[in-house]
């Protein structure tokens, strides 16, 4: 054994004991004849004191940062105590030491506030991982993992591994593929998720399955995505949506409790997809704050259930006419921001610039300041009288002292923009606190989405998701063909709802799943609706269709984005901070320098010729 204790455990009560420690040299400080060394390991930092008697030995074996040191000595009370660390009351009076390994000068400081930039820290990730900040994240990740496993085990779930070298499972992304040397010209796909396997396990009778599993998706990487990421993947047989919601909101609450000591006792709120879009402009609303959208004008074919609102809108009658920006817009939406009536011209200009940024893409912003003195000042004074301004502000629920921000334009862009604006204003007001947690189930998603490029329906979740029971006949009885692309929203398929659900935490989708199709005929109909020929469906999914003929039980499941869940619980925006060896935004591992070219010989064995570099 190299050590009797770790660098995080010795305290005043150990004074007088002879101990051995091993770890990395954080700092070396020489004061006249004595030398102080901070020794660090995973558990903490302990101060070592080298007396005059060791000077000669230190001179011939000088210590440097990150040297691996073993030292033996006596625990002794420190005169100058450090209250910030658990071992701060003691130091070790060193009797002997040995340098187990030297270190080159590290490229950045291994401290909480490091001087290393992102790229450098990624290149030397093994050094970055020594830093407290990163270590804490990995600790949290392990705690989440353990908590989930404990809960699922207690609930009778089996952890069953599924293969990585498989045939494509469509989850809406491109597959990573692996060439087969033994079957030249043929490829495996890496799983985008274990979706079909977990369904097969249900057919096999393993009615509660889970796995903490890597998934692979070859997508263009947005800020918070990784080409390989981890899911807590789950499936159950003989369940309906309600059973799944109950089982898995309890899982998240258990994780909250185990990892953050948080008692989340209230039931998780539920909202339909249509109401989420209507009230918040997106399907993963952050409900830690209100600031709901007021829909002043909107296309009825998108929000079929909202006709009454249109009739009551202050822009819904004749007197609204005259302001061309609103008259020509498909959608006019507004939010009211508390305290905004005091905004200066500079501030409103800045918000206007914000919505005009290319990422948001609006042409402009209208506003109404609801003065505390009962007045309404607006950028649209010329077009609307005080009565009308008051009515518009009233529709947003604005109070005296608020500012009403109004956006107008095409439905999709405007709704997205108002959703972003709502989040941005809440952030500015400090309403998005990282230590406050609010869960939400989003239900009743559309089953299909229309893909303009290929003029066909695509599955919004994935092709194994079942329609709501009341919509099954609509799907069976109607031809999926879209005759008039411009009027796809009028096709009966546009209104079919999925038996699918997402769980949202603080405005992030942390999990999603569905009740599955389990009859061959309906699954075949689904493949056909997605534009697959019978042959293609058989070629790709013959195994699943076959399995459905041998007593497939009703089943459903969910998968959680494990990395993201950890990041949110850790109060971070980035999942990368919670992955030991992540890729950068271009999907590269800069430490390994992967991806990279492979040897000619390997290519020959695989019978692959590359068109580009080799
Ligand atoms: N396989 C799905 C996904 O990765 C989750 C599920 O439907 O269970 O999103």
């Amino acid at each position: 054994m190299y050590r009797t204790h770790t660098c995080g455990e010795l305290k005043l009560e150990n004074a007088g004991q002879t101990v051995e420690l091993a770890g990395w040299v954080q700092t070396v400080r020489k004061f006249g004849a004595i030398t102080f060394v901070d020794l660090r390991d995973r558990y903490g930092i302990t101060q070592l004191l080298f007396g005059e008697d060791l000077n000669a030995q230190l001179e011939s074996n000088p210590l440097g940062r990150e040297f691996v040191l073993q030292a033996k000595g006596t625990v002794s009370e420190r005169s100058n105590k450090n209250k910030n660390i658990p071992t701060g009351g003691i130091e070790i009076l060193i009797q002997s030491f040995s340098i187990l390994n030297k270190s080159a000068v590290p490229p950045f400081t291994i401290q909480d506030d490091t001087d290393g930039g992102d790229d450098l820290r990624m290149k030397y990730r093994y050094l970055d991982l020594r830093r407290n900040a990163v270590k804490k994240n990995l600790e949290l990740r392990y705690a989440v993992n353990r908590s989930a496993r404990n809960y699922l085990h207690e609930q009778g779930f089996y952890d069953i591994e599924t293969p990585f070298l498989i045939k494509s499972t469509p989850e809406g992304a491109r597959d990573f593929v692996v060439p087969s040397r033994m079957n030249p010209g043929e490829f495996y796909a890496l799983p985008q998720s274990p979706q079909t396997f977990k369904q097969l396990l249900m057919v096999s009778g393993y009615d509660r399955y889970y796995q903490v599993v890597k998934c692979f998706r070859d997508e263009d990487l947005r800020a918070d995505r990784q080409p390989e990421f981890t899911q807590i993947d789950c499936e159950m047989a003989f369940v309906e949506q309600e059973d799944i919601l109950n089982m898995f909101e309890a899982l998240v609450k258990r994780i909250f409790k185990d990892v953050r000591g948080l008692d989340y006792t209230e039931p998780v709120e539920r909202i339909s997809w249509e109401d989420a879009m209507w009230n918040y402009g997106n399907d993963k609303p952050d409900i830690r704050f209100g600031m709901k959208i007021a829909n002043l004008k909107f296309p009825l074919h998108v929000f079929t259930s909202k006709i009454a609102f249109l009739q009551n809108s202050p822009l819904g009658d004749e007197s609204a006419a005259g302001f061309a920006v609103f008259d020509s817009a498909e959608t006019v939406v507004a939010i009211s921001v508390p305290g905004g009536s005091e905004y200066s011209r500079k501030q409103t200009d800045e918000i206007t610039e914000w919505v005009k940024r290319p990422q948001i893409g609006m042409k402009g912003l209208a506003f109404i300041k609801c003065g505390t003195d009962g007045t309404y000042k607006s950028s649209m004074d010329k077009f609307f009288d005080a009565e009308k301004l008051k009515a518009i502000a009233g529709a947003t629920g604005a109070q005296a002292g608020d500012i009403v921000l109004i956006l107008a334009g095409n439905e999709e862009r405007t709704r997205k923009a108002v959703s972003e604006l709502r989040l941005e204003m809440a952030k500015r007001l400090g309403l998005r606190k990282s230590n406050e947690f609010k869960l939400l189930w989003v239900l009743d998603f559309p089953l299909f989405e229309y893909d303009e490029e290929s003029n066909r329906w695509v599955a919004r979740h994935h092709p194994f998701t079942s329609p709501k029971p009341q919509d099954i006949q609509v799907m069976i009885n109607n031809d999926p063909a879209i005759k008039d692309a411009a009027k796809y929203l009028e096709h009966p398929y546009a209104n079919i709802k999925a038996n699918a659900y997402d769980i949202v935490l603080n405005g992030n989708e942390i999990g999603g799943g569905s009740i599955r199709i389990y009859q061959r005929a309906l699954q075949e109909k689904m493949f056909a609706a997605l534009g697959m020929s019978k042959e293609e469906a058989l070629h790709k999914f013959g195994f699943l269709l076959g399995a459905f003929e041998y007593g497939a039980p009703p089943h459903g499941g969910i998968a959680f984005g494990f990395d993201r869940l950890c990041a949110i619980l850790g109060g971070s925006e980035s999942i990368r901070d919670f992955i030991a060896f992540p890729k950068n935004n271009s999907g590269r591992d800069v430490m390994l320098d992967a991806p990279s070219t492979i040897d000619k010989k390997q290519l020959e064995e695989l019978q692959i010729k590359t068109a580009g570099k080799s």
Side-chain angles (χ1 to χ4, degrees):
M1 287 290 260
Y2 285 94
R3 56 186 176 185
T4 56
H5 294 81
T6 69
C7 295
E9 71 178 301
L10 292 168
K11 315 235 157 58
L12 218 45
E13 68 238 32
N14 303 99
Q17 289 177 12
T18 302
V19 297
E20 284 177 70
L21 296 182
W24 287 263
V25 172
Q26 171 98 15
T27 53
V28 181
R29 301 182 306 276
K30 209 163 158 35
F31 286 104
I34 56 171
T35 304
F36 291 102
V37 169
D38 277 349
L39 196 67
R40 183 193 67 238
D41 65 11
R42 194 185 116 189
Y43 308 90
I45 287 183
T46 299
Q47 177 163 295
L48 313 182
L49 198 169
F50 294 71
E52 205 170 349
D53 52 322
L54 292 171
N55 264 347
Q57 212 185 325
L58 276 178
E59 256 159 49
S60 49
N61 299 287
L63 299 176
R65 272 163 57 205
E66 301 307 310
F67 276 38
V68 187
L69 183 72
Q70 184 195 25
K72 183 175 178 179
T74 316
V75 182
S76 133
E77 181 167 1
R78 228 159 114 170
S79 52
N80 192 3
K81 296 198 176 48
N82 178 351
K83 294 223 171 60
N84 299 325
I85 56 172
T87 62
I90 56 106
E91 62 196 354
I92 316 293
L93 305 180
I94 300 301
Q95 292 148 11
S96 63
F97 71 93
S98 95
I99 294 174
L100 301 178
N101 213 343
K102 292 185 177 177
S103 167
V105 176
F108 49 85
T109 52
I110 315 284
Q111 286 169 354
D112 287 3
D113 285 325
T114 179
D115 55 359
D118 264 5
D119 289 347
L120 200 60
R121 287 192 291 112
M122 284 301 150
K123 178 151 186 227
Y124 296 93
R125 183 67 169 169
Y126 48 88
L127 295 181
D128 199 28
L129 287 167
R130 286 184 191 165
R131 289 173 54 238
N132 230 351
V134 190
K135 192 187 73 195
K136 271 205 202 121
N137 293 346
L138 292 191
E139 276 168 7
L140 182 137
R141 185 180 173 104
Y142 179 49
V144 176
N145 190 332
R146 226 169 41 228
S147 170
R149 286 181 185 281
N150 286 343
Y151 173 81
L152 292 166
H153 175 73
E154 286 159 24
Q155 296 296 327
F157 283 75
Y158 278 4
D159 174 353
I160 302 175
E161 286 157 89
T162 52
F164 279 171
L165 297 177
I166 66 160
K167 198 158 154 166
S168 172
T169 46
E171 300 266 359
R174 247 179 241 114
D175 286 324
F176 280 104
V177 293
V178 181
S180 165
R181 180 183 57 80
M182 287 191 286
N183 305 278
E186 295 189 330
F187 296 81
Y188 300 101
L190 298 180
Q192 294 186 29
S193 88
Q195 185 60 39
T196 48
F197 290 102
K198 63 175 175 175
Q199 292 192 241
L200 292 176
L201 286 170
M202 295 306 112
V203 179
S204 309
Y206 297 87
D207 56 11
R208 290 183 171 200
Y209 143 95
Y210 87 98
Q211 201 180 173
V212 180
V213 64
K214 273 282 160 72
C215 302
F216 306 87
R217 297 184 190 177
D218 188 4
E219 309 182 88
D220 294 334
L221 299 174
R222 283 184 262 131
D224 203 22
R225 290 269 172 97
Q226 288 276 307
E228 53 176 312
F229 60 95
T230 307
Q231 283 187 345
I232 306 173
D233 188 45
C234 310
E235 195 78 4
M236 299 172 81
F238 304 113
V239 284
E240 290 164 342
Q241 174 171 294
E242 191 61 31
D243 305 310
I244 299 267
L245 302 192
N246 290 332
M247 174 66 77
F248 292 102
E249 72 178 64
L251 166 65
V252 181
K253 289 176 179 178
R254 168 72 171 266
I255 293 172
F256 281 179
K257 176 82 189 149
D258 288 350
V259 176
R260 298 283 313 232
L262 203 89
D263 282 311
Y264 196 110
T265 43
E266 68 265 32
V268 173
E269 281 179 44
R270 300 175 182 192
I271 192 173
S272 70
W273 174 84
E274 187 165 321
D275 281 344
M277 297 304 289
W278 174 258
N279 288 321
Y280 303 102
N282 67 38
D283 59 6
K284 48 181 168 69
D286 187 343
I287 55 161
R288 281 174 296 178
F289 57 95
M291 235 191 255
K292 284 188 192 171
I293 297 168
N295 291 274
L296 304 170
K297 188 176 175 192
F298 53 91
L300 247 191
H301 56 258
V302 180
F303 294 103
T304 41
S305 62
K306 306 296 184 191
I307 192 153
F309 274 91
L310 197 58
Q311 282 154 357
N312 293 331
S313 166
L315 298 185
D317 60 25
E318 290 299 302
S319 60
F323 185 34
V325 176
F326 287 0
D327 291 343
S328 62
E330 194 180 13
T331 295
V332 182
V333 278
I335 53 171
S336 67
V337 180
S341 73
E342 298 299 321
Y343 286 174
S344 63
R345 174 70 191 266
K346 198 168 152 223
Q347 277 170 298
T348 50
D349 282 354
E350 191 271 323
I351 301 170
T352 307
E353 285 314 308
W354 192 91
V355 302
K356 283 169 142 182
R357 296 179 329 157
Q359 303 95 299
I360 307 294
M362 297 297 351
K363 292 214 176 75
L365 173 84
F367 62 83
I368 304 170
K369 288 179 179 172
C370 312
T372 41
D373 55 0
T375 59
Y376 294 88
K377 292 207 184 73
S378 171
S379 56
M380 310 172 297
D381 282 342
K382 278 198 216 101
F383 305 96
F384 297 119
D385 59 19
E387 199 64 13
K388 195 80 191 171
L389 292 175
K390 188 176 170 189
I392 295 174
T396 70
Q399 307 283 318
D402 292 359
I403 188 168
V404 177
L405 305 176
I406 310 168
L407 295 173
N410 114 310
E411 163 62 27
E412 209 181 311
R413 186 170 325 134
T414 308
R415 198 156 292 277
K416 191 155 177 284
V418 73
S419 145
E420 296 288 336
L421 181 64
R422 176 180 171 268
L423 293 175
E424 174 66 18
M425 297 315 292
K427 192 167 104 192
R428 293 182 187 193
L429 290 173
L431 299 175
R432 305 191 72 194
K433 298 191 190 84
S434 65
N435 60 357
E436 197 184 311
F437 299 98
K438 196 88 184 149
L439 289 162
L440 177 71
W441 284 111
V442 181
L443 309 173
D444 307 337
F445 284 86
L447 184 66
F448 296 107
E449 250 168 10
Y450 170 67
D451 179 43
E452 281 178 40
E453 249 170 63
S454 50
N455 186 33
R456 66 178 181 89
W457 300 106
V458 291
R460 202 191 153 88
H461 186 48
H462 54 52
F464 315 107
T465 295
S466 81
K468 288 268 176 215
Q470 65 272 21
D471 285 334
I472 292 180
Q473 280 314 315
V474 182
M475 190 169 140
I476 293 176
N477 296 344
N478 285 285
D479 178 359
I482 308 155
K483 290 185 194 78
D484 183 354
K487 291 195 183 153
Y488 76 90
L489 278 165
E490 286 163 27
H491 190 287
Y493 274 32
N495 277 324
I496 295 181
K497 295 285 187 281
N499 224 339
Y501 30 79
D502 276 357
I503 186 160
V504 172
L505 174 57
N506 293 358
N508 300 275
E509 180 205 326
I510 56 162
S514 60
I515 299 298
R516 324 297 183 189
I517 296 171
Y518 65 100
Q519 300 98 335
R520 178 173 182 140
L522 188 59
Q523 187 65 68
E524 280 177 334
K525 178 76 191 178
M526 177 55 122
F527 289 143
L530 301 176
M532 250 187 242
S533 69
K534 266 208 159 114
E535 295 68 40
E536 195 184 348
L538 268 183
H539 173 70
K540 287 190 171 154
F541 299 111
F543 64 96
L544 188 71
L545 293 171
F548 284 175
E549 297 209 36
Y550 293 93
H555 60 285
I558 190 167
F560 290 88
F562 179 53
D563 311 290
R564 185 161 306 163
L565 179 58
C566 294
I568 302 168
L569 286 170
S572 167
E573 305 255 303
S574 155
I575 63 171
R576 239 198 282 171
D577 298 344
F578 291 78
I579 297 173
F581 297 103
K583 312 257 184 294
N584 73 7
N585 280 349
S586 342
R588 292 201 75 79
D589 184 320
V590 290
M591 180 183 71
L592 303 177
D593 192 22
S596 60
T597 53
I598 55 172
D599 290 346
K600 237 181 159 178
K601 184 157 172 293
Q602 282 175 294
L603 283 174
E604 277 164 15
E605 277 174 354
L606 295 167
Q607 304 199 20
I608 287 180
K609 278 208 178 92
T610 54
K613 53 184 173 179
S614 66

